[in-house]
Amino acid sequence: MKVLRADDVRAVLDMSSCIDACERAFVAYSTGAVALPDVIHLDVPESSGEVHVKAGYVLGEPHYAVKIASGFVSPTGEPIVDGMVLVFDARSGAPVAFLLDDGYLTDLRTGAAGGVAARHLAPARVATVAVIGTGAQASRQLEALAAVRPGFERVRVWGRTQDHVRGR
């Protein structure tokens, strides 16, 4: 079984590839060609934490995946987000990969979903982009838009504080 850490996953999966994969998965979902069970939600109240377990399989593909994602709050009030993705052989059920991606896949996939939408809904030429928010998804959405509509000239950012807008 392969064990991939965050840097390994980043080295093999970029935004453009993820956008293409998400688009194929969305099409498969819309035609009923996926197995997608309900999300398992587990609260850990003593630690102000929660855990989500998600799984999915595109029918006919060689692998299926299970993701375990957790969100906790540190004693100082800072968020602690972690998780993993387990990849299995769809013929035998044997594990083939263990991805300790530090949340990269979750952030990338969410951004890629925006890229799929932009691919089909954004005008062919985009000169100015507006980003509302300054968190991780702000940069992922901008990255996804650049992958499907490259060459925009300006980015306007709104954030709750000027320090956030400046990236501090």
Side-chain angles (χ1 to χ4, degrees):
M1 179 171 67
K2 292 183 181 179
V3 176
L4 302 176
R5 300 205 177 272
D7 289 341
D8 303 320
V9 176
R10 282 183 175 86
V12 298
L13 184 61
D14 63 11
M15 181 59 80
S16 291
S17 299
C18 192
I19 290 170
D20 293 342
C22 281
E23 185 167 26
R24 288 191 303 275
F26 292 163
V27 168
Y29 178 79
S30 71
T31 62
V34 299
L36 192 65
D38 291 338
V39 174
I40 296 172
H41 179 96
L42 173 68
D43 285 319
V44 185
E46 299 83 3
S47 304
S48 300
E50 61 181 23
V51 179
H52 298 131
V53 180
K54 301 175 181 180
Y57 172 58
V58 177
L59 303 179
E61 290 294 320
H63 301 97
Y64 66 90
V66 177
K67 178 175 93 168
I68 304 168
S70 63
F72 284 70
V73 178
S74 76
T76 62
E78 296 297 314
I80 304 169
V81 179
D82 209 339
M84 68 187 79
V85 177
L86 306 167
V87 181
F88 296 86
D89 184 291
R91 291 178 307 262
S92 69
V96 295
F98 185 36
L99 310 177
L100 299 168
D101 66 298
D102 196 27
Y104 175 73
L105 288 173
T106 297
D107 288 346
L108 190 70
R109 201 253 4 129
T110 303
V116 172
R119 177 182 280 167
H120 294 280
L121 300 173
R125 170 86 174 92
V126 176
T128 302
V129 175
V131 178
I132 299 172
T134 57
Q137 272 310 302
S139 60
R140 288 289 177 219
Q141 294 298 323
L142 193 58
E143 179 185 1
L145 182 59
V148 298
R149 295 293 187 268
F152 44 84
E153 299 162 9
R154 287 176 302 282
V155 176
R156 306 230 187 250
V157 179
W158 179 90
R160 287 180 284 157
T161 70
Q162 284 302 311
D163 282 346
H164 287 171
V165 171
R166 290 185 196 102
R168 292 185 234 155

